Amino acid sequence: MILVKNQNMLLLPKNLVLETAAFLKYFEGHSGFAKVAERMAAPPGEKFHLRGLIGSSKTILLSTLSQKTHKNIVVLLNDREEAAYFYDDFSNLGFKNDILFFPSSYKRSVQFDQTEQENIVQRTEVLNLLSKKEKTYLVITYPEALIERVISNTSLANNTLQVKTSDKISIEFINEFLYEYGFERVDFVYEPGQFSIRGSIVDIFSFSHEDPYRLDFFGDEIDSIRSFDIDNQLSKDKFKKITIVPNIQNSAVEGDRISFIEFLPNENLWFGNNLNQFFCRISEIHRQTILAREDENMTGQIIAGNELQSQLANKTVFDFGSDQAFSPGETIEFSYASQPVFNKNFELLGSNLMEHNKNNYELFILSNQEKQIERLQSIFDDTDIKVKFNPVNFILHEGFIDHELKACFYTDHQIFERYHRFKLKSRKAQKEAISLKEL
């Protein structure tokens, strides 16, 4: 699709449904985006304030920037829900394979001492992917996750086993390695940390992948590697090589413990939303945890907010918010406004859209349901609202108005006042699969 811009306006055939790639192209000429892209090449230690970003304009900015750098981008948000909506936006913008959600190991937080196995798997998978350095990612996280120390890169490598097809390796060696690193031998695997051996087939549920692996041996040679569904046992994906990782959150696993900031290369880019609040939240969780848990080893498992802030001092940091942890060397201004609240008053909506049409603003309605667009068009026809807009066939969390590009990006769930649910990657192994434990 060819997009033509004229005086900061996008000229499109009306009512053409936009895909994500074409939608993001619209922002390529944005002056603020271009300035931030230039500053990403600044030496580590520079600090920037991005003032005026509203709603999902933040995720659109980061999506655009991620395509212009060979560095990891880490986004620090103030709670799990905010992080989850960022993740959902990135997924809807077509970056599902380029984003990583780094959660807490716990159902709520470390001070309540109730771990969530699915979260441990997800954390381990993130650390494993980042340590390989095969590609760069957008990493999204929040205080309850960052307060926990992680195993160092060296220790992670020392506690993992990499195998590939055609490797000469005996089943006996695999058996000994898994026992040594705390894996449990069972008849059928159904949760991380388990393995089974049936003849020439070895099933392993590593903590570094959402599905278990099936290794098929021909003598002492690995003939094939596949992941499989624990519910129906059917194969899913083929692999040439895999990494088997134990539960590295377990304190019994030997290795140095460092912060997540220290785990990543120095040249990574860090973005936050009110980073002073972020570090204060970590400090409060740290204080409550030390009081709540009578564990002398606890201080070696978590890290205080002021220590994390000092570690970030020599990194390149961009803050969206007004409550900043660092004094910015430069402020980059954006001219955005929030999507108005219409309270299902479609005359008010129509009046707003017609006024923006009159002022040469391009209008976009975002919805992942075609019927919602049809419903809105029908309402406009019935109420004699003469307005032209471009349907966009995906959804974002919060709509906004871009005064530089002269464009309105409104979401259907805000127009119709529907609750917008985020979607996070989830194994749902124990919840949805037949419980082999019970059988």
Side-chain angles (χ1 to χ4, degrees):
M1 179 186 296
I2 297 176
L3 304 182
V4 181
K5 295 180 184 176
N6 180 21
Q7 295 182 344
N8 289 332
M9 273 200 61
L10 176 67
L11 303 179
L12 281 172
K14 299 303 176 185
N15 295 323
L16 175 64
V17 178
L18 281 180
E19 302 290 340
T20 54
F23 178 80
L24 288 174
K25 280 182 179 290
Y26 183 41
F27 296 89
E28 287 184 352
H30 197 293
S31 64
F33 284 28
K35 285 181 183 178
V36 180
E38 289 176 4
R39 304 312 185 267
M40 290 195 304
E46 296 293 319
K47 305 293 184 289
F48 302 94
H49 181 204
L50 309 182
R51 185 160 58 195
L53 288 162
I54 297 290
S56 291
S57 66
K58 299 167 190 173
T59 50
I60 292 173
L61 168 65
L62 289 169
S63 297
T64 304
L65 295 176
S66 69
Q67 300 176 78
K68 300 179 183 296
T69 182
H70 297 294
K71 304 174 184 178
N72 293 308
I73 293 176
V74 186
V75 188
L76 307 176
L77 299 165
N78 287 299
D79 56 55
R80 183 179 182 275
E81 182 176 284
E82 184 183 16
Y85 277 117
F86 262 66
Y87 180 92
D88 192 56
D89 269 8
F90 289 130
S91 295
N92 293 334
L93 285 165
F95 291 84
K96 189 170 291 186
N97 296 324
D98 303 301
I99 52 173
L100 300 174
F101 188 82
F102 190 65
S104 167
S105 301
Y106 298 84
K107 286 187 176 180
R108 293 174 63 190
S109 183
V110 61
Q111 72 256 41
F112 301 110
D113 194 21
Q114 189 175 12
T115 57
E116 176 70 65
Q117 193 170 60
E118 182 174 337
N119 290 359
I120 294 173
V121 171
Q122 201 166 359
R123 282 176 69 91
T124 307
E125 184 178 11
V126 170
L127 295 175
N128 186 44
L129 288 171
L130 291 172
S131 68
K132 291 179 179 178
K133 300 179 181 178
E134 293 176 352
K135 61 177 290 187
T136 55
Y137 293 94
L138 269 163
V139 186
I140 305 163
T141 190
Y142 52 99
E144 286 79 358
L146 219 66
I147 191 174
E148 298 176 51
R149 293 183 185 271
V150 300
I151 198 166
S152 69
N153 282 277
T154 301
S155 299
L156 177 61
N158 291 338
N159 284 279
T160 61
L161 176 65
Q162 287 194 347
V163 296
K164 61 182 184 296
T165 54
S166 301
D167 269 354
K168 300 288 186 181
I169 185 172
S170 68
I171 292 178
E172 288 75 17
F173 174 82
I174 293 281
N175 183 69
E176 290 176 10
F177 172 86
L178 295 173
Y179 264 128
E180 183 180 349
Y181 285 93
F183 283 77
E184 176 191 10
R185 184 167 177 173
V186 295
D187 292 331
F188 297 94
V189 302
Y190 54 84
E191 64 182 13
Q194 296 178 332
F195 75 102
S196 70
I197 300 175
R198 299 184 307 280
S200 64
I201 294 175
V202 179
D203 291 344
I204 306 170
F205 210 144
S206 170
F207 276 87
S208 62
H209 197 261
E210 61 184 344
D211 293 309
Y213 297 116
R214 177 160 291 159
L215 282 62
D216 196 347
F217 282 77
F218 184 76
D220 283 346
E221 181 178 313
I222 299 176
D223 187 52
S224 67
I225 303 173
R226 302 169 185 265
S227 62
F228 66 93
D229 190 306
I230 61 173
D231 190 2
N232 55 31
Q233 297 292 302
L234 295 178
S235 297
K236 296 178 71 174
D237 300 309
K238 289 184 179 180
F239 296 87
K240 290 184 178 180
K241 63 178 179 179
I242 60 169
T243 303
I244 301 168
V245 186
N247 181 5
I248 55 176
Q249 294 299 125
N250 189 334
S251 57
V253 174
E254 295 182 1
D256 298 327
R257 302 285 163 169
I258 60 177
S259 75
F260 185 64
I261 294 174
E262 292 173 307
F263 184 87
L264 293 168
N266 192 47
E267 65 271 13
N268 282 354
L269 302 169
W270 298 80
F271 286 76
N273 193 27
N274 295 309
L275 281 174
N276 186 52
Q277 292 180 23
F278 181 90
F279 292 121
C280 286
R281 172 65 180 156
I282 290 178
S283 292
E284 179 60 21
I285 298 170
H286 187 275
R287 185 188 68 81
Q288 292 177 6
T289 302
I290 297 300
L291 290 174
R293 295 183 60 176
E294 298 178 359
D295 185 345
E296 60 184 19
N297 297 320
M298 203 68 241
T299 54
Q301 298 177 38
I302 59 176
I303 187 167
N306 60 343
E307 188 174 348
L308 286 170
Q309 183 175 340
S310 67
Q311 290 176 3
L312 210 60
N314 65 342
K315 315 292 184 185
T316 303
V317 180
F318 300 81
D319 198 333
F320 301 128
S322 56
D323 191 5
Q324 298 166 69
F326 306 100
S327 297
E330 180 183 3
T331 297
I332 300 174
E333 300 282 354
F334 292 85
S335 183
Y336 285 104
S338 299
Q339 174 174 333
V341 176
F342 299 108
N343 296 316
K344 293 184 180 179
N345 184 331
F346 295 104
E347 289 186 2
L348 183 62
L349 169 63
S351 176
N352 177 274
L353 294 176
M354 287 190 292
E355 181 66 22
H356 279 105
N357 259 167
K358 180 181 176 182
N359 292 323
N360 295 319
Y361 276 64
E362 193 75 14
L363 307 179
F364 299 85
I365 306 294
L366 286 72
S367 176
N368 55 5
Q369 301 179 38
E370 188 177 339
K371 288 185 178 180
Q372 287 293 86
I373 295 294
E374 293 174 355
R375 177 186 175 193
L376 191 59
Q377 187 62 66
S378 178
I379 291 171
F380 289 161
D381 292 341
D382 292 343
T383 53
D384 200 33
I385 294 173
K386 306 297 183 184
V387 64
K388 297 176 180 178
F389 65 90
N390 297 296
V392 180
N393 71 338
F394 61 89
I395 198 66
L396 294 174
H397 181 45
E398 292 182 274
F400 57 91
I401 300 169
D402 188 323
H403 292 302
E404 177 182 331
L405 295 179
K406 300 192 73 174
C408 301
F409 303 91
Y410 290 175
T411 68
D412 72 320
H413 62 270
Q414 288 175 281
I415 291 173
F416 291 104
E417 294 188 349
R418 290 183 294 104
Y419 178 67
H420 173 226
R421 294 183 181 275
F422 57 76
K423 293 180 182 178
L424 281 176
K425 180 180 177 182
S426 176
R427 289 190 309 111
K428 299 183 180 178
Q430 290 178 301
K431 298 177 182 177
E432 295 185 349
I434 297 173
S435 177
L436 294 173
K437 200 172 196 177
E438 295 176 356
L439 292 176

